[in-house]
Amino acid sequence: MKKRSLQLIILISIFWTGVALISCSSEGEITKPEDEHTDEHSETQDHIKLSQEALTTLNLKTSVVERKPLSSEIKTTAVIEPNRTRIAHVSPRISGRVVDVKAFLGDSVQQGQVLAELDSIELGQTKAEYLESKANLEVARANYSRENRLFKKQITSEKEYLYAKAEFIRSESALNTALETLRLLGLSDEEIKSLKWGETDHPASIFPLIAPFTGTVVEQHIVLGEFIKPEDKPYTIADLSHLWIQLDIYEKDLRWVEVGKTVDIKVNAYPDENFEGKITYVSDILDESTRATKARVEILNMDGKLKPGMFATAIISIPSSDNEEVIVVPGTAIQQIEGKSAVFVQEGEDSFEMRGVSLGQHSGDYVQVLKGLSPGDVVVTEGGFYLKSALLKEELGEGHAH
């Protein structure tokens, strides 16, 4: 009996020992993979390593994080317009029919360039009258000179002398009248002096429309054979190398806006570019409904990227009163990843870490970083989008990007 009881106790002990071993074994099998998975995920989820080939192809650009005073800024809507002192409607001074069209909408033209040629019967008649008056004056001058000599020698009568003198004065007056008429019609003194009878290569009735300054044809309302009058506007020329930008400045911001102040301009067509101009005018009148006034910025546009009619954002910097230095990075370094702001910090020649950041105020091309970076860190300012794409591919399980 005692022998059976001993055997039973031994069997129960062996059973519970086995259960305990199995339990420990199971816990080890579950916990270990979880630990390994967690370590592997934390090692790869925020880091990107690129091959030398990828580095060469991407040509990433970086910037060193630094501390500097950051001014506040005013952002306001703006509209780009032609410079109204550099826009002209080209019209003829005399009516005429179009015989040649040389400039067309969108053409770049130079000062003095012929835009079109017109044929005017009135101009032809005025030129003929001038040439006739010029010839009559020569005859009258010669006759008056002869009569004057004869009268002094008492060979001719006083009546004939006075008649010759009067004809000379009348002829001189007629020539001056014709000369001034041609000037009023737009002919220069050089063109008038060059007039002569019998010109076949350039008829007297033909005259040009001339570009008043270098610019672009922004409007064209002229076709071959059309009759153009002085009140018509066949061409509009604008110098688009200098533009105006009209700003709305609210009453609360007026103390920061003055003539001569630099303004940064941003447009949607070129989001990564900054255009700079200066305030040349601030209106003295405030709109009662909007509580805003108009300000004008003049800006160079030599490359022609800015177009009249474009909407823009104007940024006016406000100097900081305490000149406190804060951590800043170029705005191009900031990426949005899963709805949060982040930057890519270069840790080595070919390795980068995605690091979340908290942002403060913006000023021009820079943004304040409240948390996440330290002075001396090197951040990617161009090419961050590729690193962002490569990082997202890793998280989706598509492997490392090289």
Side-chain angles (χ1 to χ4, degrees):
M1 184 69 178
K2 292 181 178 179
K3 186 176 181 181
R4 287 183 179 178
S5 297
L6 183 60
Q7 289 176 345
L8 182 60
I9 291 171
I10 293 172
L11 288 172
I12 291 172
S13 300
I14 293 172
F15 171 78
W16 286 110
T17 302
V19 170
L21 290 172
I22 291 171
S23 176
C24 291
S25 176
S26 298
E27 288 177 6
E29 290 174 1
I30 293 171
T31 304
K32 185 175 181 180
E34 286 182 354
D35 293 343
E36 289 177 354
H37 177 73
T38 301
D39 292 344
E40 181 181 353
H41 182 67
S42 64
E43 180 180 327
T44 60
Q45 66 176 350
D46 297 334
H47 292 76
I48 294 293
K49 189 176 179 65
L50 300 178
S51 66
Q52 189 61 42
E53 181 182 357
L55 284 171
T56 303
T57 303
L58 292 174
N59 191 26
L60 301 177
K61 293 186 178 180
T62 60
S63 177
V64 178
V65 177
E66 58 182 340
R67 285 183 177 273
K68 61 187 297 186
L70 193 65
S71 59
S72 301
E73 60 187 23
I74 301 168
K75 281 190 176 182
T76 183
T77 56
V79 179
I80 300 175
E81 298 180 352
N83 184 327
R84 295 178 190 172
T85 65
R86 299 294 293 170
I87 188 168
H89 298 296
V90 182
S91 302
R93 295 191 180 188
I94 190 172
S95 299
R97 193 167 302 279
V98 180
V99 295
D100 193 8
V101 178
K102 298 179 179 294
F104 300 90
L105 185 65
D107 285 357
S108 295
V109 296
Q110 302 298 313
Q111 182 176 4
Q113 181 176 329
V114 176
L115 306 176
E117 288 187 335
L118 281 69
D119 186 358
S120 170
I121 295 176
E122 182 181 351
L123 177 63
Q125 290 175 339
T126 304
K127 286 182 177 180
E129 289 172 1
Y130 168 78
L131 292 174
E132 183 179 3
S133 298
K134 188 177 180 180
N136 290 340
L137 178 61
E138 292 301 319
V139 173
R141 178 181 286 110
N143 187 47
Y144 171 60
S145 178
R146 181 177 62 83
E147 290 296 329
N148 186 39
R149 289 195 307 272
L150 294 176
F151 180 69
K152 288 179 178 180
K153 295 179 180 179
Q154 298 182 346
I155 298 175
T156 187
S157 66
E158 182 179 5
K159 180 180 179 180
E160 289 178 332
Y161 163 73
L162 292 175
Y163 179 80
K165 182 178 180 180
E167 281 298 312
F168 171 70
I169 294 174
R170 278 195 295 269
S171 297
E172 191 174 44
S173 177
L175 179 63
N176 289 333
T177 300
L179 175 63
E180 290 303 319
T181 301
L182 290 176
R183 285 173 175 166
L184 289 173
L185 294 179
L187 273 70
S188 66
D189 288 345
E190 291 75 16
E191 290 175 317
I192 295 173
K193 288 179 181 179
S194 66
L195 292 177
K196 58 184 179 180
W197 292 109
E199 288 185 292
T200 57
D201 56 335
H202 195 278
S205 59
I206 302 297
F207 70 95
L209 288 179
I210 302 295
F213 49 75
T214 299
T216 302
V217 179
V218 294
E219 289 185 18
Q220 178 197 354
H221 305 287
I222 182 172
V223 295
L224 197 64
E226 182 180 8
F227 191 77
I228 302 294
K229 301 184 290 296
E231 59 266 28
D232 295 329
K233 299 175 182 177
Y235 286 104
T236 300
I237 308 296
D239 178 6
L240 301 181
S241 64
H242 295 75
L243 295 176
W244 283 0
I245 301 179
Q246 300 289 354
L247 316 181
D248 291 315
I249 305 297
Y250 290 99
E251 184 177 4
K252 64 182 180 64
D253 298 323
L254 276 175
R255 60 177 175 151
W256 305 112
V257 179
E258 59 185 3
V259 172
K261 193 171 185 64
T262 300
V263 179
D264 293 323
I265 302 296
K266 295 282 190 181
V267 293
N268 290 335
Y270 305 98
D272 297 328
E273 292 193 45
N274 185 65
F275 303 90
E276 188 176 284
K278 288 188 179 296
I279 297 175
T280 58
Y281 167 77
V282 180
S283 175
D284 295 320
I285 301 174
L286 198 70
D287 188 289
E288 294 182 359
S289 59
T290 63
R291 308 308 301 171
T293 192
K294 294 289 184 183
R296 183 177 69 226
V297 172
E298 289 193 16
I299 191 168
L300 283 176
N301 185 42
M302 303 305 293
D303 54 11
K305 289 183 176 180
L306 300 178
K307 312 292 183 185
M310 274 185 172
F311 290 108
T313 299
I315 304 169
I316 303 172
S317 295
I318 302 175
S320 175
S321 58
D322 54 11
N323 287 325
E324 179 186 0
E325 292 189 344
V326 295
I327 295 175
V328 297
V329 294
T332 54
I334 306 300
Q335 298 290 328
Q336 293 298 317
I337 300 178
E338 297 181 352
K340 297 181 179 180
S341 298
V343 297
F344 285 96
V345 179
Q346 187 173 20
E347 295 186 320
E349 182 182 359
D350 58 356
S351 59
F352 302 86
E353 177 195 2
M354 187 275 290
R355 194 180 298 175
V357 291
S358 298
L359 303 180
Q361 65 180 357
H362 291 69
S363 179
D365 295 331
Y366 288 88
V367 59
Q368 179 185 8
V369 178
L370 301 174
K371 184 180 179 181
L373 291 175
S374 300
D377 287 341
V378 178
V379 295
V380 176
T381 56
E382 290 188 26
F385 181 77
Y386 173 83
L387 298 178
K388 172 183 173 180
S389 301
L391 183 66
L392 293 176
K393 285 178 65 178
E394 280 194 355
E395 293 184 352
L396 291 172
E398 295 183 22
H400 293 277
H402 296 288

